[in-house]
């Protein structure tokens, strides 16, 4: 009985946590703001910043065009 409750609790926690994502906001040098799913990755070798947009598509932007990256809120993705 006790093992069943523990298993059920762990299963529920796993399901709830798998749908979480943190939104980051990138501000460009032109003043445009871009919301991303997860933290953008800056590649110093290519000079590009890779990110996933709000729809989940992979995008790139020149790192020189990114002014700042701020951590936003954590949201559930269902």
């Amino acid at each position: 009985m006790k093992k069943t409750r523990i298993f059920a609790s762990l299963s529920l926690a796993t399901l709830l946590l798998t749908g979480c994502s943190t939104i980051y906001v990138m501000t460009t040098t032109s003043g445009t703001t871009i919301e991303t799913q997860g933290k953008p990755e800056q590649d110093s070798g290519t000079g590009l910043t890779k990110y996933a947009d709000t729809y989940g598509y992979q995008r790139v932007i020149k790192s020189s065009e990114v002014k700042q990256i701020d951590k936003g809120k954590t949201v559930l993705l269902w």
Side-chain angles (χ1 to χ4, degrees), residues 23-73:
I23 302 294
Y24 283 79
V25 178
M26 288 193 307
T27 305
T28 64
T29 55
S30 65
T32 306
T33 58
I34 303 170
E35 289 189 353
T36 69
Q37 290 182 5
K39 188 173 183 178
E41 298 175 15
Q42 294 181 331
D43 186 356
S44 59
T46 61
L48 297 174
T49 299
K50 301 175 188 176
Y51 65 95
D53 66 10
T54 53
Y55 298 106
Y57 294 108
Q58 295 296 317
R59 307 279 186 199
V60 293
I61 188 172
K62 290 181 184 178
S63 295
S64 61
E65 293 180 6
V66 177
K67 186 175 182 181
Q68 73 182 53
I69 300 173
D70 295 319
K71 186 175 180 181
K73 58 187 174 188

